Amino acid sequence: MTDGHLDVKNTETMPGTVVAVRGSVVDMRFDGELPAIFTLLHAGERGEIAIEVQAQRDTHHVRGIALTPTQGLARGMPVHDSGGPLQAPVGKPILSRMFNVFGTTIDREPPLAGVQWRSVHRQPPPLVRRSTRSEVFETGIKAIDVLTPLERGGKAGLFGGAGVGKTVLLTEMIHNMLGHQQGVSIFCGIGERSREGEELYREMKAAGVLANMVMIFAQMNEPPGARFRVGHAALTMAEYFRDDEHRDVLLLIDNIFRFIQAGSEVSGLMGQMPSRLGYQPTMGTELAALQERIANTDSGAITSIQAVYVPADDFTDPAAVHTFAHLSASIVLSRKRASEGLFPAIDPLQSSSKMVTPGIVGARHYALAQAIRRTLAQYAELKDIIAMLGLEQLSPDDRKVVARARRLERFLTQPFFTTEQFTSLSGTLVSLKDALDGCERILADEFKDLPESALYMIGAVDDATTKATASAQSAPKPPPAKEHGDAVNDA
């Protein structure tokens, strides 16, 4: 093993023979040297069936998992050793392209040229190369940077159902990453619906963010072996940009639960005894092998945002428990906030981040984040009273809390660059300093005389005054008051 990945053998071993085919599981016999674990083998009339060696059963037999459908594969067919493990293309030409797990382009564009190929089985960076500093990864999105800051080189979980804005939020982060951080974005679809992948590709192209982006998919109709390996292929691409190009990488994974699910299927097909709730006994190891490669080193950082599906909303499910152990931030999207038009629809009370401590973000940011959460929590408690008795029945202090909370909710909305064509609002990138200043001034009741709508869908807080003035000037003027005599004549 050199440079953190497996060596590729130059000499081809003697061809083997298919002994048995059971779905995606293929048993093969080799009379010469046995291929190593994780070696990629090719079978079929044109070598179109790819099989990854998972176990050496004895001196002559290996068992593998097919990464492609096994239709047409029969006993007695020859099997050829590729000489190494599954590989992924790396290099600048992969930017703006879409791939499958084998590194083959699937975007109907001209074929790739001038790329290197690297094994997908690489070791995490050694401890001596890792950065020990905890740095905040600024996204330019107020609601995230203030309340749930992401860690540079860390992992964040994105929780949300269909239609609450996950894709829009991911697209905006990609846009900001390119403009603000001069980085690269990689989207990895594990068990994606083909419709979602195609839509995302078109949206990225329309938003103009495809030039510094790579997309790689193993769709849900593909065999479990392909779905299980696509995450490793995406990380190999990300590691190239971090280690060779010294650029920051934003890695988006949708959905990390489907990676665990694919591993469970592979484990079951290989005949391993399942552990709790039917998951594979090696789940913790397999997930850690993937997650530990996402790291902040002396040359750059891979920051990951992962969509997380929680089975049956059971947070004690082993898949959820093992995933949470790796996350440094959790972003929860709320359907209720989305229905109220508060975009991004991030729920500030359910979302959390390990970065919000005085030692990392600073005493001022920590105190402000706590004050914002406290204000919004008090407002949530008062909503029932307001619904039953009305706002007038609250004490003056409670009314102030409600006014602050409603203005904070609106200030934490933001027009996105990637939705300009739909909203006709120019996108804004808000620095952490401006976002904190705005929240501090709202909490100090500086904008209590401005209408709440002035704080909705703006960038920095000073835009509220401009917006309020503009809306006041554009409002239709009331008709002039009639004299008493005119009123009598009209009657």
Side-chain angles (χ1 to χ4, degrees):
M1 194 177 283
T2 58
D3 190 30
H5 63 280
L6 300 173
D7 288 325
V8 176
K9 293 181 290 184
N10 294 322
T11 57
E12 258 200 20
T13 56
M14 292 290 289
T17 310
V18 175
V19 176
V21 183
R22 291 183 302 280
S24 290
V25 180
V26 184
D27 285 349
M28 295 150 287
R29 178 184 173 89
F30 286 84
D31 291 323
E33 182 188 348
L34 278 186
I37 303 292
F38 297 147
T39 299
L40 194 66
L41 310 175
H42 293 286
E45 292 179 3
R46 299 180 304 280
E48 71 279 8
I49 297 169
I51 305 162
E52 185 179 79
V53 177
Q54 292 285 330
Q56 295 178 337
R57 303 188 63 205
D58 54 40
T59 53
H60 289 294
H61 292 87
V62 295
R63 178 170 285 174
I65 285 284
L67 307 185
T68 53
T70 53
Q71 282 92 337
L73 193 62
R75 279 183 297 178
M77 278 189 172
V79 180
H80 297 277
D81 187 345
S82 69
L86 179 67
Q87 295 187 317
V90 296
K92 286 184 178 173
I94 70 171
L95 290 171
S96 81
R97 304 302 300 269
M98 184 160 62
F99 299 92
N100 64 12
V101 69
F102 300 104
T104 308
T105 54
I106 52 173
D107 52 10
R108 300 179 185 173
E109 298 289 327
L112 277 180
V115 295
Q116 303 173 40
W117 291 83
R118 289 186 184 170
S119 163
V120 302
H121 302 280
R122 296 168 65 86
Q123 293 297 309
L127 289 175
V128 291
R129 282 199 55 215
R130 289 178 183 250
S131 172
T132 54
R133 290 172 55 215
S134 287
E135 297 177 63
V136 171
F137 175 84
E138 275 195 48
T139 63
I141 299 169
K142 292 178 284 191
I144 292 176
D145 290 344
V146 173
L147 295 172
T148 56
L150 307 185
E151 180 182 8
R152 184 172 177 264
K155 281 120 348 208
L158 183 62
F159 304 83
V164 294
K166 280 202 304 293
T167 304
V168 172
L169 193 57
L170 293 181
T171 315
E172 185 70 6
M173 284 187 186
I174 291 166
H175 180 280
N176 293 358
M177 176 73 176
L178 306 182
H180 185 53
Q181 308 270 359
Q182 300 300 313
V184 175
S185 294
I186 295 178
F187 185 93
C188 174
I190 305 178
E192 280 282 282
R193 298 171 185 85
S194 53
R195 170 185 61 79
E196 290 174 342
E198 191 270 338
E199 280 176 4
L200 189 69
Y201 179 76
R202 275 193 290 107
E203 283 169 14
M204 298 298 171
K205 202 167 187 176
V209 298
L210 206 58
N212 277 299
M213 187 179 175
V214 184
M215 301 175 83
I216 180 165
F217 290 98
Q219 292 162 353
M220 59 166 49
N221 62 321
E222 295 185 38
R227 285 182 271 126
F228 188 56
R229 284 287 171 241
V230 72
H232 299 93
L235 266 163
T236 301
M237 295 173 174
E239 285 164 345
Y240 165 80
F241 289 109
R242 179 191 66 192
D243 300 335
D244 294 39
E245 300 261 336
H246 304 298
R247 296 171 76 176
D248 280 358
V249 182
L250 181 63
L251 175 65
L252 306 158
I253 300 177
D254 188 8
N255 187 305
I256 199 67
F257 172 76
R258 295 190 193 133
F259 166 77
I260 295 172
Q261 202 173 35
S264 179
E265 290 178 52
V266 169
S267 174
L269 288 165
M270 290 298 295
Q272 292 178 358
M273 182 72 75
S275 68
R276 189 164 155 253
L277 295 184
Y279 287 108
Q280 63 271 43
T282 51
M283 176 171 65
T285 314
E286 289 168 358
L287 185 61
L290 184 81
Q291 299 277 14
E292 285 301 301
R293 289 169 66 180
I294 301 167
N296 184 1
T297 68
D298 48 15
S299 58
I302 300 173
T303 304
S304 174
I305 298 168
Q306 307 170 7
V308 183
Y309 167 69
V310 181
D313 291 335
D314 178 13
F315 284 83
T316 64
D317 187 275
V321 170
H322 283 262
T323 303
F324 289 142
H326 296 278
L327 300 179
S328 54
S330 299
I331 301 167
V332 181
L333 298 182
S334 156
R335 190 171 301 281
K336 187 171 184 297
R337 293 178 73 80
S339 66
E340 292 170 4
L342 299 173
F343 290 105
I346 295 167
D347 189 322
L349 300 178
Q350 289 194 54
S351 305
S352 63
S353 170
K354 292 176 183 173
M355 302 296 284
V356 187
T357 62
I360 297 174
V361 297
R364 177 179 174 242
H365 185 164
Y366 174 75
L368 270 173
Q370 295 298 95
I372 292 165
R373 284 182 194 279
R374 192 163 50 247
T375 304
L376 294 174
Q378 286 174 288
Y379 175 44
E381 288 174 5
L382 292 168
K383 277 183 177 175
D384 287 343
I385 300 171
I386 296 167
M388 287 188 292
L389 304 174
L391 193 62
E392 298 77 21
Q393 301 302 315
L394 296 180
S395 67
D397 286 344
D398 283 348
R399 263 181 273 175
K400 283 182 183 175
V401 167
V402 170
R404 282 183 210 128
R406 288 179 64 84
R407 281 166 174 76
L408 279 170
E409 281 185 338
R410 278 144 188 79
F411 177 62
L412 291 174
T413 61
Q414 189 168 337
F416 283 173
F417 290 99
T418 48
T419 56
E420 281 181 8
Q421 53 189 328
F422 310 113
T423 63
S424 303
L425 296 170
S426 299
T428 56
L429 191 73
V430 184
S431 69
L432 178 59
K433 181 183 177 299
D434 287 345
L436 290 174
D437 285 348
C439 292
E440 192 172 45
R441 290 165 67 183
I442 290 168
L443 287 168
D445 289 335
E446 192 176 318
F447 297 94
K448 63 180 180 181
D449 297 326
L450 283 186
E452 291 169 2
S453 57
L455 291 151
Y456 178 69
M457 284 293 172
I458 59 169
V461 77
D462 289 326
D463 296 346
T465 314
T466 315
K467 186 177 177 182
T469 309
S471 60
Q473 287 173 351
S474 61
K477 293 179 181 176
K482 293 184 178 180
E483 295 293 330
H484 180 65
D486 293 339
V488 170
N489 293 335
D490 287 350

